[in-house]
Amino acid sequence: MSGDSDEVLGSVGPRLRALRRERGITLADLAAVTGVSESTLSRLENGQRRATLELLLPLASTYNVPLDDLVGAPRTGDPRIHLKPIRRFGMIFIPLSRRPGGTQSFKMIIPARPEPLEPTPQTHEGFEWLYVLSGRLRLLLGDRDLTLSPGEAAEFDTHLPHWLGSADGGTVELLILFGPQGTRAHLRTAPGRSPHGETQQ
């Protein structure tokens, strides 16, 4: 039993490192958010520090994942997926994929607003693919201003300046796939400026 526990705990470090890199967070940023020192986080990721509940709880909270995911605990047979919304830049992202790294899928909700947001196009590495479930999506892509209705999809290189918003002020729901760089651009948790000009807290 002890050997099994050591094996599980030994896999925590690589899992934490992969999750941090997926989110585009530096050790310094993570230390500031969790209150755990940068050196402790580094040793934890490198396997030089044993994972404890005291260290893992703030990390699970920051990454918004179940504690079981950090330690790689086996599933109990419950097939249900417990989705936890992520709120960023006035939008809601519901992760639909769980494996760190690679393309990530989300359900994205753009809430209704009495006044539309001022478009602030951004660029970054990667690609995005989206499919409108409901509402009318406004997509600015380079010099094109497009409106997508339910059932319409778009795929684009994110080197092009782009911005997503509601075309008529109503709620928009869509499925969206991000390449790794796109995930970092949209879901990073480090303090800074958002793509929509809002300051992250």
Side-chain angles (χ1 to χ4, degrees):
M1 183 66 68
S2 176
D4 292 342
S5 298
D6 289 342
E7 184 177 347
V8 168
L9 290 174
S11 67
V12 171
R15 189 174 290 106
L16 289 174
R17 182 166 55 248
L19 190 56
R20 178 175 60 79
R21 290 176 176 173
E22 174 201 340
R23 303 294 176 89
I25 307 174
T26 66
L27 282 171
D29 292 334
L30 190 58
V33 173
T34 62
V36 179
S37 73
E38 188 174 343
S39 62
T40 296
L41 292 170
S42 177
R43 283 184 283 130
L44 187 60
E45 288 188 1
N46 292 329
Q48 299 170 349
R49 175 68 182 265
R50 189 176 179 84
T52 64
L53 194 59
E54 182 181 7
L55 293 175
L56 293 178
L57 282 175
L59 290 171
S61 177
T62 298
Y63 290 136
N64 197 29
V65 298
L67 186 61
D68 285 354
D69 283 8
L70 296 186
V71 300
R75 300 292 174 186
T76 60
D78 186 345
R80 292 172 296 179
I81 298 175
H82 303 285
L83 306 175
K84 293 189 175 181
I86 302 169
R87 298 177 184 274
R88 295 286 183 269
F89 324 132
M91 301 181 186
I92 302 170
F93 297 84
I94 303 174
L96 303 177
S97 56
R98 303 170 61 88
R99 186 179 300 277
T103 301
Q104 300 294 311
S105 58
F106 296 84
K107 179 179 180 181
M108 179 177 170
I109 302 172
I110 304 174
R113 289 176 174 270
E115 296 292 333
L117 285 172
E118 184 68 24
T120 52
Q122 59 165 320
T123 62
H124 52 81
E125 298 286 339
F127 73 92
E128 291 182 23
W129 177 93
L130 57 86
Y131 177 88
V132 181
L133 297 170
S134 64
R136 300 176 70 245
L137 176 72
R138 183 183 181 191
L139 170 63
L140 299 186
L141 185 61
D143 58 359
R144 304 183 68 183
D145 191 339
L146 306 171
T147 298
L148 280 70
S149 299
E152 292 191 288
E155 182 178 20
F156 52 91
D157 185 330
T158 52
H159 287 95
L160 282 173
H162 58 281
W163 178 85
L164 305 178
S166 174
D168 55 13
T171 300
V172 183
E173 297 188 13
L174 58 151
L175 296 178
I176 189 162
L177 300 181
F178 291 127
Q181 298 291 341
T183 305
R184 286 196 282 274
H186 287 273
L187 301 180
R188 65 186 186 278
T189 58
R193 299 293 295 181
S194 81
H196 299 298
E198 299 174 6
T199 302
Q200 290 178 263
Q201 302 296 325

